[in-house]
Amino acid sequence: MKLPEGIPAANKDEEAKLLARLEEPCADGDLADRIHQLAVFYIKHGRNDLAIAVIELAMNYCDDPEKQAFFYMNLGQISEHDRQFQNAIRYYARGLELKPNEKSVAYLLHNNLGYCLNTEKRYKEAEEFCRAAILIDSTRANAFKNLGTSLRGQGDIVGAAWVYAEANRVDPSDPRAITLLDQLIAEHPKALFDFVYAFLTNPSEIT
């Protein structure tokens, strides 16, 4: 197995132990996990460049679609953290092609892809993935928040307000959704006032 150029990188005992474990006999699936542990080490020490190269190496020793989807999710998260949104979109989409069954992985692939598409102003596409994430797990607020941003970007001010409010209901400890709702109200007071007035005076006509 050829490690990516630049390894060893940190000259720490923990790194040396992780590298030594890669030399111990094991099945390919276990080797992929050991390589991934090395990637986690590099993430922790601010070497996302090496983490991406190491995870891509791990995938060469993995034929389990669930684990591959997890690795693609990790690659997307690293790229997203580094604001490399187009790379993140590509990784998340590859993970979704594997149709993972694990709930948290499926949720994060859909939700995070929606978020990254929003950053690229691809709001209609983002809406689809945010709604899918909500269907997977409606107890997590982030997809509601990202759906609100998708709807806002498409000019659906009322819809965005509803979804931001729902995100805050699901997780009131996270202030981001209510901050976005406050901004939305400040930017579009008339549209939201007209909706509230119509709802109060003739709620049967509100769909």
Side-chain angles (χ1 to χ4, degrees):
M1 178 181 62
K2 181 173 173 28
L3 288 169
E5 189 174 339
I7 297 174
N11 194 27
K12 293 181 179 291
D13 289 343
E14 183 182 355
E15 182 188 33
K17 290 177 182 177
L18 291 168
L19 290 171
R21 287 200 71 208
L22 299 183
E23 302 301 323
E24 298 172 3
C26 64
D28 279 358
D30 291 335
L31 180 58
D33 290 337
R34 292 180 186 183
I35 297 171
H36 182 260
Q37 289 170 8
L38 182 64
V40 172
F41 171 85
Y42 290 131
I43 293 170
K44 186 170 66 174
H45 287 86
R47 291 299 308 270
N48 285 352
D49 57 327
L50 286 179
I52 286 178
V54 168
I55 293 173
E56 289 178 339
L57 174 64
M59 297 190 74
N60 294 331
Y61 298 90
C62 173
D63 57 8
D64 178 1
E66 291 289 329
K67 190 174 292 185
Q68 289 177 347
F70 174 76
F71 287 158
Y72 278 124
M73 181 190 75
N74 283 176
L75 289 167
Q77 288 171 321
I78 296 169
S79 298
E80 183 181 326
H81 178 271
D82 290 344
R83 304 191 67 78
Q84 300 293 322
F85 294 116
Q86 292 187 11
N87 286 341
I89 288 169
R90 177 169 56 86
Y91 286 131
Y92 290 139
R94 291 287 300 276
L96 285 175
E97 288 173 2
L98 296 167
K99 303 186 185 306
N101 293 314
E102 208 287 312
K103 186 175 180 179
S104 63
V105 172
Y107 176 88
L108 288 170
L109 286 170
H110 283 91
N111 173 69
N112 294 15
L113 179 52
Y115 170 80
C116 291
L117 289 168
N118 277 338
T119 67
E120 298 292 299
K121 302 188 187 308
R122 294 163 61 178
Y123 299 116
K124 185 62 180 173
E125 294 172 77
E127 178 185 352
E128 172 189 347
F129 293 102
C130 294
R131 290 190 184 278
I134 291 168
L135 288 175
I136 293 168
D137 190 350
S138 61
T139 68
R140 302 177 70 164
N142 217 25
F144 287 103
K145 177 183 66 68
N146 291 329
L147 176 59
T149 300
S150 301
L151 296 175
R152 181 179 184 177
Q154 295 176 74
D156 184 356
I157 304 306
V158 171
W162 274 111
V163 180
Y164 285 146
E166 185 65 10
N168 187 67
R169 184 195 67 78
V170 170
D171 184 6
S173 69
D174 185 343
R176 292 176 296 172
I178 203 69
T179 298
L180 290 168
L181 179 57
D182 287 343
Q183 293 173 355
L184 192 68
I185 293 170
E187 292 171 6
H188 303 278
K190 185 177 185 306
L192 294 171
F193 174 83
D194 289 347
F195 173 79
V196 171
Y197 180 80
F199 179 80
L200 292 175
T201 56
N202 198 352
S204 63
E205 293 188 4
I206 303 297
T207 57

